Amino acid sequence: MNPLVDDLLVGAVLLLSLGYAVAKLGPRTLRRRMLESLSRALESAPAIFGLGRAAQRLSAASGKAQAACGGCDNCGSEGSSAPGSSEEIKVPVAKIGRRA
Protein backbone atom coordinates (compact mmCIF):
# COMPACT_ATOMS: atom_id res chain seq x y z
CA MET A 1 0.00 0.00 0.00
CA ASN A 2 0.86 3.62 -0.06
CA PRO A 3 3.17 4.57 2.84
CA LEU A 4 1.04 7.63 3.58
CA VAL A 5 -2.10 5.51 3.94
CA ASP A 6 -0.20 3.07 6.15
CA ASP A 7 0.95 5.88 8.43
CA LEU A 8 -2.58 7.30 8.63
CA LEU A 9 -4.03 3.91 9.56
CA VAL A 10 -1.41 3.29 12.23
CA GLY A 11 -1.95 6.77 13.64
CA ALA A 12 -5.73 6.26 13.74
CA VAL A 13 -5.35 2.95 15.56
CA LEU A 14 -2.95 4.51 18.07
CA LEU A 15 -5.37 7.38 18.74
CA LEU A 16 -8.23 4.93 19.23
CA SER A 17 -6.22 2.84 21.67
CA LEU A 18 -5.14 5.95 23.58
CA GLY A 19 -8.75 7.13 23.80
CA TYR A 20 -9.84 3.71 25.05
CA ALA A 21 -7.13 3.67 27.71
CA VAL A 22 -8.05 7.16 28.91
CA ALA A 23 -11.74 6.26 29.00
CA LYS A 24 -11.17 3.08 31.02
CA LEU A 25 -8.45 4.30 33.37
CA GLY A 26 -9.44 7.94 33.72
CA PRO A 27 -12.04 9.49 36.01
CA ARG A 28 -15.72 8.95 35.30
CA THR A 29 -16.36 12.62 34.66
CA LEU A 30 -13.81 12.55 31.86
CA ARG A 31 -15.54 9.54 30.32
CA ARG A 32 -18.91 11.32 30.51
CA ARG A 33 -17.48 14.44 28.85
CA MET A 34 -15.84 12.34 26.12
CA LEU A 35 -19.13 10.58 25.39
CA GLU A 36 -21.02 13.88 25.31
CA SER A 37 -18.56 15.50 22.92
CA LEU A 38 -18.51 12.44 20.65
CA SER A 39 -22.30 12.42 20.65
CA ARG A 40 -22.42 16.10 19.66
CA ALA A 41 -19.87 15.47 16.89
CA LEU A 42 -21.94 12.60 15.51
CA GLU A 43 -25.13 14.67 15.66
CA SER A 44 -23.51 17.44 13.65
CA ALA A 45 -22.46 15.02 10.91
CA PRO A 46 -24.51 15.07 7.70
CA ALA A 47 -27.61 12.88 7.71
CA ILE A 48 -26.35 10.89 4.72
CA PHE A 49 -23.91 9.05 7.00
CA GLY A 50 -26.75 7.77 9.21
CA LEU A 51 -25.02 8.44 12.53
CA GLY A 52 -28.10 9.75 14.35
CA ARG A 53 -28.83 6.47 16.10
CA ALA A 54 -25.25 6.13 17.33
CA ALA A 55 -25.37 9.73 18.58
CA GLN A 56 -28.55 8.98 20.54
CA ARG A 57 -26.99 5.90 22.13
CA LEU A 58 -23.87 7.84 23.13
CA SER A 59 -25.88 10.69 24.61
CA ALA A 60 -27.97 8.19 26.60
CA ALA A 61 -24.79 6.52 27.87
CA SER A 62 -23.25 9.81 28.91
CA GLY A 63 -26.31 11.10 30.75
CA LYS A 64 -27.12 7.94 32.64
CA ALA A 65 -26.44 8.28 36.36
CA GLN A 66 -25.25 4.99 37.73
CA ALA A 67 -26.11 3.90 41.24
CA ALA A 68 -23.51 2.47 43.60
CA CYS A 69 -24.52 -1.14 43.04
CA GLY A 70 -25.72 -0.80 39.46
CA GLY A 71 -29.30 -1.65 40.39
CA CYS A 72 -31.92 0.76 41.62
CA ASP A 73 -31.21 4.48 41.92
CA ASN A 74 -32.04 4.83 45.62
CA CYS A 75 -29.36 2.64 47.20
CA GLY A 76 -27.79 5.22 49.49
CA SER A 77 -30.81 7.42 50.11
CA GLU A 78 -32.50 5.21 52.70
CA GLY A 79 -31.74 5.31 56.43
CA SER A 80 -29.25 2.45 56.47
CA SER A 81 -25.72 3.33 57.51
CA ALA A 82 -22.57 2.09 55.86
CA PRO A 83 -20.84 -0.81 57.64
CA GLY A 84 -17.59 1.03 58.32
CA SER A 85 -19.03 4.41 59.18
CA SER A 86 -19.59 4.10 62.94
CA GLU A 87 -18.65 0.54 63.88
CA GLU A 88 -15.75 -1.68 63.07
CA ILE A 89 -16.50 -5.14 61.75
CA LYS A 90 -14.42 -7.81 63.49
CA VAL A 91 -13.99 -11.31 62.05
CA PRO A 92 -12.33 -13.96 64.22
CA VAL A 93 -9.12 -15.34 62.76
CA ALA A 94 -10.36 -18.90 63.21
CA LYS A 95 -13.18 -18.26 60.72
CA ILE A 96 -10.84 -17.10 57.98
CA GLY A 97 -10.06 -20.09 55.80
CA ARG A 98 -7.15 -20.73 53.54
CA ARG A 99 -7.54 -20.81 49.80
CA ALA A 100 -6.76 -24.07 48.13
Side-chain angles (χ1 to χ4, degrees):
M1 281 177 74
N2 190 353
L4 180 64
V5 174
D6 289 340
D7 291 341
L8 287 174
L9 288 174
V10 169
V13 169
L14 285 174
L15 283 175
L16 283 174
S17 65
L18 179 67
Y20 178 77
V22 167
K24 288 298 178 181
L25 299 176
R28 289 184 186 212
T29 56
L30 177 65
R31 181 177 182 213
R32 184 179 307 146
R33 284 185 284 174
M34 286 174 54
L35 287 174
E36 288 173 356
S37 62
L38 187 58
S39 171
R40 278 182 273 160
L42 290 179
E43 284 176 355
S44 66
I48 196 166
F49 293 125
L51 299 173
R53 184 186 236 179
Q56 288 175 351
R57 291 180 69 187
L58 286 175
S59 66
S62 68
K64 185 185 286 186
Q66 295 180 354
C69 65
C72 62
D73 290 332
N74 61 356
C75 288
S77 63
E78 295 179 8
S80 63
S81 64
S85 62
S86 62
E87 297 180 9
E88 195 173 309
I89 298 175
K90 296 181 180 180
V91 178
V93 177
K95 288 193 174 186
I96 299 175
R98 291 196 145 196
R99 290 187 181 181

